[in-house]
């Protein structure tokens, strides 16, 4: 825990052991499959495919569902991929030992159904299951396009939900997975440092997104899945998408940085104030931090997700009619090869449908609170690793208090206060008096209609 290394492979230090990573993942899903009612698992989800086969052909394929793997009980996995990719796997993925084959689905509907691609997928799978004596056992499928599912059923296979088995396996992380997750967070620490140095009035949300992406890719990120950059009045309600809005003095701005290092993700919010923050915004941040710290303090092996969720405020307390309407604003969720895994922690989920927290789970906890002005809000998120006695936070960019970025203003009496309303007239205090201490006089209007102060 709490261990990161450099980002290269070296001969003088033992770092991530990728052979061990591959073995541990496959052994874990084999064991869970063996204990289940399923005879085999067919996976189209690229994260599940990677977990089982340790193959990857690029993030562009994540929403295509054109490649698949089969894991029969007590057998080794078989991988079907684009022909050229399958050839690459044969050359460079020796752990597949000849089980990399060419195959293609219906190209996400791009190939006419009459061409029979769905039936070909089903035929390839059934042949292997018959050879393993498992054709009559339930076949777990994670995610699937309807034509493929119909073809599997037409081939006489009993198709059932396989995603729960996969997510159960992925819920507990191995030692190498923990290092990869910690390293991914370290890279986001660096991205926030880069942001903090340059943010200020005049910078656009999309410019921030570009800076984050460059910082992460320069460090070796495999995939910047998304960057939420939300500023000013866009922070409440939370739109979950960045824009080209220009940041202004006194704005809040929060970010969620989601990227992958060797497949392992981050989900990591931070909130800043641009130049200064109002008293209402400071209070919102304190509340956000309070609820988050309360949730973190409840995390330990043997606790339940329902017990952690009790730390979150109820939806009605921050302006939503029910928990479904407020979902994702007060949330915990597993993080691994994807950013939404087991366990899920929310007041929306009845305690009896929750999970028991176990050592070496990794999940993110995130909170949200709107400011009293009705259009600003704070958002904070930490990723934690469950230890033997509690948990360790692996997101390290400072967040115990609201940070002010772009604070360069000097007045004749010193630095401009960092806690102030964004409208100057609301910050005058006793400066409404004349310089000599007398109250301002009211005088008749001039011909222009303006009043002059004597």
């Amino acid at each position: 825990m709490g261990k990161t290394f450099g980002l290269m492979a070296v001969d003088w230090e033992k770092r991530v052991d990728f052979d061990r990573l591959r073995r541990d993942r496959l052994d874990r899903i084999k064991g869970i499959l063996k204990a289940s009612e399923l005879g085999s698992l067919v996976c189209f989800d690229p994260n599940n495919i990677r977990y089982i086969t340790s193959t990857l052909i690029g993030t562009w394929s994540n929403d295509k569902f054109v490649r698949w793997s089969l894991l029969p009980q007590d057998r080794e996995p078989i991988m079907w991929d684009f022909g050229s990719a399958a050839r690459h796997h044969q050359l460079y993925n020796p752990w597949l030992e000849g089980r990399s084959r060419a195959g293609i689905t219906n190209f996400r509907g791009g190939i006419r159904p009459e061409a029979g691609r769905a039936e070909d997928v089903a035929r390839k799978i059934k042949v292997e299951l018959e050879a393993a004596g498992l054709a009559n056992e339930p076949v777990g499928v994670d995610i699937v396009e309807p034509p493929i599912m119909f073809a599997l059923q037409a081939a006489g296979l009993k198709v059932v939900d396989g995603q729960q088995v996969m997510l159960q396996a992925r819920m507990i992380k191995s030692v190498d997975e923990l290092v990869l997750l910690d390293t991914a967070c370290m890279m986001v620490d660096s991205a926030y440092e880069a942001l903090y140095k340059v943010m200020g009035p005049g910078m656009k949300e999309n410019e921030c997104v570009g800076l984050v992406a460059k910082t992460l890719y320069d460090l070796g990120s495999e995939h910047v899945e998304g960057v939420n950059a939300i500023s000013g009045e866009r922070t409440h309600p939370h739109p979950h998408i960045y824009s080209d809005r220009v940041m202004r003095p006194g704005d809040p701005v929060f970010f969620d940085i989601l990227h992958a290092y060797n497949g392992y993700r981050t989900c990591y919010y931070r909130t800043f104030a641009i130049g200064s923050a109002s008293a209402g915004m400071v209070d919102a941040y304190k509340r956000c931090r309070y609820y988050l710290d309360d949730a973190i303090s409840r995390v330990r092996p043997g606790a339940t997700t329902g017990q952690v969720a009790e730390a979150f405020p109820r939806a009605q307390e921050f302006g939503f009619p029910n928990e479904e309407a407020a979902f994702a604003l007060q949330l915990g969720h597993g993080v691994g090869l994807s950013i939404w895994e087991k366990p899920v922690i929310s007041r929306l989920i009845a305690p009896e449908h929750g999970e028991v927290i176990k050592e070496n789970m990794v999940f993110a906890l995130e909170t949200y609170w709107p400011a009293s002005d009705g259009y600003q809000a704070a958002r904070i998120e930490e990723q934690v690793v469950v230890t033997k006695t509690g948990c360790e936070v692996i997101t390290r960019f400072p967040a115990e208090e609201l940070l002010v970025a772009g604070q360069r203003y000097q007045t004749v009496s010193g630095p401009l206060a960092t806690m102030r309303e964004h409208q100057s007239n609301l910050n005058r205090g006793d400066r409404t008096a004349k310089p000599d201490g007398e109250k301002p006089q009211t005088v008749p209007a001039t011909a222009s209609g303006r009043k002059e102060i004597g």
Side-chain angles (χ1 to χ4, degrees), residues 143-265:
I143 53 175
V144 63
E145 293 186 77
I148 303 293
M149 184 175 72
F150 299 152
L152 291 169
Q153 292 171 329
L157 300 176
K158 182 182 178 181
V159 178
V160 298
D161 180 14
Q163 185 75 318
Q164 291 301 311
V165 171
M166 280 304 312
L167 290 183
Q168 183 185 352
R170 288 166 53 182
M171 190 159 46
I172 305 297
K173 272 57 177 186
S174 70
V175 61
D176 295 297
E177 290 180 291
L178 293 176
V179 173
L180 291 171
L181 285 159
D182 210 345
T183 303
C185 289
M186 172 272 290
M187 296 162 75
V188 179
D189 298 340
S190 302
Y192 276 126
E193 183 68 22
L195 270 177
Y196 186 73
K197 288 177 178 178
V198 301
M199 277 193 301
M203 193 170 187
K204 293 184 291 185
E205 292 175 4
N206 56 298
E207 288 182 280
C208 295
V209 173
L211 174 60
V212 168
K214 175 173 171 43
T215 301
L216 292 172
Y217 281 127
D218 285 352
L219 284 170
S221 176
E222 177 183 288
H223 176 40
V224 180
E225 185 172 348
V227 180
N228 266 325
I230 316 295
S231 66
E233 60 273 11
R234 295 186 71 244
T235 58
H236 185 62
H238 183 1
H240 297 275
I241 185 171
Y242 71 87
S243 77
D244 59 345
R245 184 184 182 276
V246 177
M247 293 185 287
R248 304 179 68 183
D251 273 353
V253 55
F254 57 68
F255 300 88
D256 188 13
I257 300 179
L258 309 97
H259 90 110
Y261 175 64
N262 278 286
Y264 287 86
R265 299 307 208 263

Side-chain angles (χ1 to χ4, degrees), residues 117-381:
R117 296 314 311 166
E119 289 75 15
D120 184 68
V121 171
R123 184 164 51 251
K124 285 179 166 66
I125 292 170
K126 186 173 182 179
V127 165
E128 298 299 331
L129 292 178
E130 287 177 337
L134 295 168
N136 295 322
E137 300 298 318
V139 179
V141 178
D142 54 3
I143 53 175
V144 63
E145 293 186 77
I148 303 293
M149 184 175 72
F150 299 152
L152 291 169
Q153 292 171 329
L157 300 176
K158 182 182 178 181
V159 178
V160 298
D161 180 14
Q163 185 75 318
Q164 291 301 311
V165 171
M166 280 304 312
L167 290 183
Q168 183 185 352
R170 288 166 53 182
M171 190 159 46
I172 305 297
K173 272 57 177 186
S174 70
V175 61
D176 295 297
E177 290 180 291
L178 293 176
V179 173
L180 291 171
L181 285 159
D182 210 345
T183 303
C185 289
M186 172 272 290
M187 296 162 75
V188 179
D189 298 340
S190 302
Y192 276 126
E193 183 68 22
L195 270 177
Y196 186 73
K197 288 177 178 178
V198 301
M199 277 193 301
M203 193 170 187
K204 293 184 291 185
E205 292 175 4
N206 56 298
E207 288 182 280
C208 295
V209 173
L211 174 60
V212 168
K214 175 173 171 43
T215 301
L216 292 172
Y217 281 127
D218 285 352
L219 284 170
S221 176
E222 177 183 288
H223 176 40
V224 180
E225 185 172 348
V227 180
N228 266 325
I230 316 295
S231 66
E233 60 273 11
R234 295 186 71 244
T235 58
H236 185 62
H238 183 1
H240 297 275
I241 185 171
Y242 71 87
S243 77
D244 59 345
R245 184 184 182 276
V246 177
M247 293 185 287
R248 304 179 68 183
D251 273 353
V253 55
F254 57 68
F255 300 88
D256 188 13
I257 300 179
L258 309 97
H259 90 110
Y261 175 64
N262 278 286
Y264 287 86
R265 299 307 208 263
T266 63
C267 192
Y268 184 168
Y269 270 100
R270 285 294 185 265
T271 297
F272 304 88
I274 302 300
S276 63
S278 67
M281 183 61 201
V282 172
D283 177 69
Y285 192 91
K286 287 180 178 178
R287 289 173 180 267
C288 213
R289 187 74 242 184
Y290 170 80
Y291 293 124
L292 181 56
D293 288 341
D294 190 6
I296 291 171
S297 72
R298 297 168 185 243
V299 175
R300 62 181 58 84
T304 66
T305 52
Q307 290 169 333
V308 177
E310 288 175 357
F312 296 146
R314 298 183 183 278
Q316 294 82 356
E317 294 178 52
F318 60 106
F320 289 84
N322 54 57
E323 299 302 332
E324 186 175 35
F327 187 76
L329 295 179
Q330 319 288 349
L331 180 67
H333 58 89
V335 181
L337 284 173
S338 63
I339 63 161
W340 277 13
E341 298 185 357
K342 285 178 176 287
V344 178
I345 302 170
S346 169
R347 283 187 174 274
L348 178 65
I349 302 169
E352 61 268 25
H353 299 308
E355 307 276 356
V356 175
I357 294 172
K358 299 178 181 178
E359 185 180 357
N360 292 342
M361 284 184 175
V362 178
F363 50 85
L365 292 166
E366 50 191 293
T367 54
Y368 176 92
W369 195 263
S372 55
D373 60 20
Y375 66 91
Q376 297 185 101
R379 186 88 155 125
I380 318 172
E381 184 173 24

Side-chain angles (χ1 to χ4, degrees), residues 75-87:
R75 299 287 183 108
E76 297 302 305
I78 303 169
M79 181 69 219
W80 285 271
D81 215 325
F82 279 105
S84 56
R87 179 60 179 149

